[in-house]
Amino acid sequence: MQTQLKSTRRRALNNMLGGLCLALGLAGTGVAASAADYPGRPISVLVGYAPGGGSDLIVRLLAPYIQKELGQGAILTVLNHPGAGGAIAFAELARAKPDGYTIGLINTPNVLTIPIERKTTYKWTDYDLLGNIVDDPDNFSVRADSPVKSLRDLAAYAKAHPNEVTVGTTGVGSDDHLAMLKFERGAGVQMIHVPFKGASEVRTALQGGQITLAAVNIGEALQFEKGGGEFRNLGVMAESRTDLAPDLPTFKEQGYDITLSSLRGLAAPKGLPPEVRQRLVDAVGRAIANPEFQKKARSMFAPLRYLAPQQYKAELSMEEEQFRQLWKTMPWRDDK
C-alpha cells in the first residue's frame, strides 16, 4: 500500500514538472515568435516638446527611414507630449511597457538635469538606449532690428537695463537655461527667465517681441531663419565654429568660456527583449547612416552625431557627473 502511494505521488510530481516545462517551453516559443514578428503594430515615438522645434522635426524626418529599415510594413507614429522641460514625456517613456512599441526622444541636458534638480519617476538609466542622432550647440538670438549685435552689446544692454532682458528657453534646467545662467555669471548681469514648451514657441515669442532674447540651439536658430524669421545670431557655444554657420563666432572668441549643446537620441523603456532591442538599434543606426536622410538633415541644419548605444551611454554618464558638479556651484532652479 505504501509503495503504491509513493508511486502515485511520483507520477503526480512528474506530471506537474512536465506541465511546468511545457509551459516554459511554450512561453519561450511565444517570445521568439513575438520577436520574429516584430513590429506587428504601430510604434509610438514620444517627443517631449511642442511640434515645429528641432526635437520634433528631426524625429519626424528620421521616422520614415527607421520604418524602412524595420520592414514588415512598420509604422512609427510621433506623439508630442510637451511640458516640464521634457519631463512629462521622459516619465511616460520610462513607465511604458518594454515591448518595443513605445520609444522616445531623450534630450540632454534635460533628461540629466531634471532628476538632479528634483525627485522624478525616471532617470536616464531607466532606458534602453537605441542611438544618438544630433549634437546641437547652443546660441543666443535676437530680432534683426535689435540694437544688440554681439555678446558685448548684450552685456552692456543688460547692465543698462537690469532685470529687463527677458530670455526664452525650452525649460528649467535645459541647455538654454544653463547658457543664460552662465552668461549672467560671466557678464555680471541679471536677466529674466521665460520658459516655454518648445523651441517653436520661443521663436514665436521672439518674432512677436514678447521676449528680448532667445536661447536656442544653432540648428534651430538657422531653421527659424529659413522659415522666414528675421533674427540675428550672437554666438555658438562650441569649442570651434560650426560648419552650419562658419561666420558666427564662438562664445569663447568673444570672451565667454561657455560650451553647451543638446544631444538628441532615441531610447526605449528598460528591459526590451534582446532580439527586439537589436532590431531597433540596427534600424536606427542604418537610418541615420542613410545618405538621403543625411542630405535632408543638412538642409534643415540638424548637426548629426551618431552614437551607438555604448558610446551614448558613456557620454551620458560623463555629462551627468558634470551637471552634478555644476548643481553644487550653480543650482538652476527658478524658485530658489
Side-chain angles (χ1 to χ4, degrees):
M1 180 69 178
Q2 190 173 4
T3 302
Q4 187 177 9
L5 183 60
K6 287 181 178 178
S7 178
T8 301
R9 287 175 176 171
R10 189 180 300 112
R11 281 198 302 273
L13 179 61
N14 287 341
N15 288 339
M16 183 177 71
L17 290 173
L20 179 61
C21 289
L22 178 61
L24 290 172
L26 289 173
T29 302
V31 170
S34 174
D37 294 341
Y38 176 83
R41 62 179 191 271
I43 299 168
S44 296
V45 189
L46 307 182
V47 176
Y49 303 91
S55 295
D56 175 71
L57 292 174
I58 195 64
V59 171
R60 292 183 186 277
L61 180 65
L62 184 62
Y65 295 92
I66 298 176
Q67 289 176 174
K68 181 180 177 181
E69 294 298 337
L70 286 173
Q72 299 187 40
I75 299 173
L76 270 64
T77 304
V78 179
L79 303 175
N80 298 89
H81 292 183
I88 293 173
F90 299 157
E92 185 173 349
L93 179 63
R95 66 173 175 262
K97 187 176 180 180
D99 56 6
Y101 289 101
T102 303
I103 64 176
L105 193 75
I106 58 173
N107 306 59
T108 67
N110 306 49
V111 74
L112 306 175
T113 55
I114 294 172
I116 294 173
E117 172 201 330
R118 59 182 183 268
K119 186 176 181 180
T120 61
T121 57
Y122 70 89
K123 51 187 182 297
W124 72 269
T125 50
D126 293 330
Y127 305 120
D128 276 341
L129 302 176
L130 304 178
N132 188 65
I133 310 165
V134 160
D135 186 352
D136 198 355
D138 275 275
N139 156 75
F140 284 167
S141 297
V142 294
R143 283 168 49 116
D145 59 2
S146 169
V148 174
K149 294 181 171 56
S150 67
L151 295 180
R152 180 176 296 179
D153 287 349
L154 176 60
Y157 186 87
K159 287 177 181 177
H161 302 81
N163 288 312
E164 290 184 22
V165 175
T166 49
V167 185
T169 79
T170 53
V172 175
S174 65
D175 50 330
D176 318 322
H177 185 207
L178 297 180
M180 168 195 156
L181 295 177
K182 287 191 171 189
F183 182 78
E184 281 184 323
R185 175 175 288 191
V189 298
Q190 287 187 319
M191 302 186 290
I192 298 174
H193 182 219
V194 185
F196 290 88
K197 292 182 179 180
S200 60
E201 293 185 1
V202 177
R203 171 193 61 204
T204 301
L206 182 62
Q207 196 157 10
Q210 283 83 46
I211 55 175
T212 313
L213 178 74
V216 291
N217 301 101
I218 186 60
E220 293 174 325
L222 295 172
Q223 288 169 26
F224 297 171
E225 291 180 1
K226 184 180 179 181
E230 296 182 357
F231 305 117
R232 178 183 301 121
N233 300 319
L234 301 183
V236 63
M237 299 176 210
E239 292 293 342
S240 57
R241 297 191 183 197
T242 174
D243 292 341
L244 298 177
D247 295 331
L248 184 64
T250 67
F251 270 53
K252 283 190 173 185
E253 287 179 76
Q254 300 179 70
Y256 296 93
D257 189 8
I258 303 174
T259 55
L260 277 170
S261 68
S262 175
L263 293 179
R264 299 176 198 141
L266 290 172
K270 194 80 170 180
L272 290 179
E275 299 91 342
V276 170
R277 180 180 181 276
Q278 195 58 52
R279 284 203 64 189
L280 281 168
V281 168
D282 291 345
V284 169
R286 288 195 297 265
I288 295 171
N290 186 300
E292 184 181 74
F293 164 74
Q294 294 192 356
K295 182 178 180 180
K296 289 181 178 179
R298 283 193 296 271
S299 73
M300 58 179 281
F301 307 104
L304 299 179
R305 183 190 175 201
Y306 173 67
L307 294 174
Q310 282 303 114
Q311 296 171 295
Y312 196 11
K313 179 181 178 181
E315 188 88 4
L316 291 177
S317 181
M318 177 187 69
E319 287 196 9
E320 181 185 39
E321 180 56 31
Q322 291 174 350
F323 289 123
R324 288 193 181 280
Q325 294 302 317
L326 182 64
W327 175 256
K328 294 177 182 178
T329 60
M330 195 184 72
W332 49 76
R333 284 179 61 170
D334 272 349
D335 61 351
K336 62 182 182 297

